[in-house]
Amino acid sequence: MSGQSITDRITAAQHSVTGSAVSKTVCKATTHEIMGPKKKHLDYLIQCTNEMNVNIPQLADTLFERTTNTSWVVVFKSLITTHHLMVYGNERFIQYLASRNTLFNLSNFLDKSGLQGYDMSTFIRRYSRYLNEKAMSYRQVAFDFTKVKRGADGVMRTMNTEKLLKTIPIIQNQMDALLDFNVNANELTNGVINAAFMLLFKDAIRLFAAYNEGIINLLEKYFDMKKTQCKEGLDIYKKFLTRMTRISEFLKVAEQVGIDRGDIPDLSQAPSSLLDALEQHLASLEGKKVKDSTAASRASTLSNAVSSLANTGISFTKVDEREKQAALEEEQARLKALKEQRLKELSKKPASSATTAASPVSTTGGSIITAPAIDLFSTPSSTNSASKVGSDLLDLQPTFPPALPISTGLPVANTWGGFTASPTPQPQTSRGLNVDFDSVFGNKSASANNSDSAVASPSQSLPPSCQPPGKLVSDDLDSSLANLVGNLGIGNGTTKK
């Protein structure tokens, strides 16, 4: 089977509808495609483990749910995804796995859909056992052996005797579970099992490096231990020699499948004389007859053994540093590519797209119209108000002399839709109070029609059609009043007669 199945697409669509991006990504990382999980999906899930608002138990439960599938491809990819998050994800993920009573119950898993399903089911059972043991180790020591600090001041080198004798067997159990994967080069036939093998290979290097440093610390303390401690230490060292042989075979498989020789560490065997010296020391503590050996010979043997094991540790450290450097270079290349892509996107955008929040009004050329800010609560000066009255919003009304400001106590609407305070009334001059009383009381004077001291009336803004013909004089309040009063007087006289 190749490509995403209909079931994969339907499951991803269901999670899209429910809005669960994490569950959708888990489904996409564990499809029926016979290939390893895609890097973009793994990177997204790693990022999710670093986000505090992501529910880690829900993420883990989704992965566990995928392992209940009947297809070996889905189950194997679910284990690979879980292993990847345990190694590269936030420590919260492995902490949660370690807190669970059970993880993967796949000891009886078997895919009967085909011959390949039978073969891969065996490795799925072994792989799930290793992941269970890895989580169990974290529960017992509260740290991951593949991530501990190494070197002369590392965790395993500075551990006291009692804790060291309890910790090394935990490493041995995890190492046994890893080496029990027991795959040959001719069995790495598809991308799924190859992805699992690469993760196991990296774990094996780091785990054995911590194991090696623990043995160095044990040998340095061996001749100062009590009898029971020496017996435990001798048993641990014998198991170490056996596992060193097995790890050598595992690394040969890695070399056969095409892993670069520089990424495979060199293992240096400790001299066989060291084992004899350790056994003789224990026999002497038990009161048995042993060959006489000087302290100088024992010290020389121990020094040679520690030196050879230290060289092995250095080889593991170089491989680990090379891997870190490659990861850094890959990340830098990715950032550079993203930066170049971003610069191309910015160069394609038109200049008019650049706007400012200060003013939403911009011209077609991208320049911003900057108008002075309008103070809605200021009181305009008399000169400014007088000059602005003669020119209204769209210059639709005829020009008229400045009118007397009328104070109504209400705010005046300005051009921009806002309101300003009403202008302060100006004192009237004597010129504005000159009234022709002769014209008012019936004596029409020609000079009244040409008066320059008239006060502007609001009615003058009305169109000419709204004024009674022959009764009002445009732009002259005095003459209009005189005509009205005169007409009234004439009418009264006629009535009396």
Side-chain angles (χ1 to χ4, degrees), residues 305-337:
V306 170
S307 177
S308 62
L309 294 177
N311 291 334
T312 301
I314 292 173
S315 178
F316 278 100
T317 303
K318 288 181 179 179
V319 171
D320 202 12
E321 291 178 352
R322 191 179 296 113
E323 182 183 353
K324 291 180 180 179
Q325 185 64 28
L328 288 175
E329 292 176 356
E330 180 182 356
E331 188 67 20
Q332 290 176 356
R334 187 187 305 176
L335 291 175
K336 184 178 180 181

Side-chain angles (χ1 to χ4, degrees), residues 15 59-69 74 78 104:
H15 290 299
L59 170 60
D61 290 341
T62 306
L63 289 169
F64 294 147
E65 182 182 354
R66 296 293 285 175
T67 59
T68 60
N69 198 289
V74 176
S78 301
F104 301 107

Side-chain angles (χ1 to χ4, degrees), residues 1-3 32-36 70-77 109-125 186-194:
M1 183 182 295
S2 61
H32 288 77
E33 295 177 281
I34 304 181
M35 58 181 293
T70 57
S71 172
W72 70 268
V73 182
V74 176
V75 176
F76 216 153
K77 292 172 76 171
F109 177 80
L110 182 62
D111 186 352
K112 301 179 182 180
S113 60
L115 180 61
Q116 192 176 27
Y118 277 95
D119 296 336
M120 293 296 108
S121 296
T122 302
F123 296 108
I124 287 175
R125 294 192 294 269
N186 56 0
E187 293 173 323
L188 299 174
T189 56
N190 58 74
V192 180
I193 192 172
N194 289 343

Side-chain angles (χ1 to χ4, degrees), residues 58 76 118 245 268 295 348 368 402 405 410 443-444 478 497:
Q58 181 181 359
F76 216 153
Y118 277 95
T245 304
S268 301
K348 292 179 181 179
I368 301 170
L410 298 176
N443 297 326
K444 297 180 180 179
D478 293 341
K497 291 179 181 181

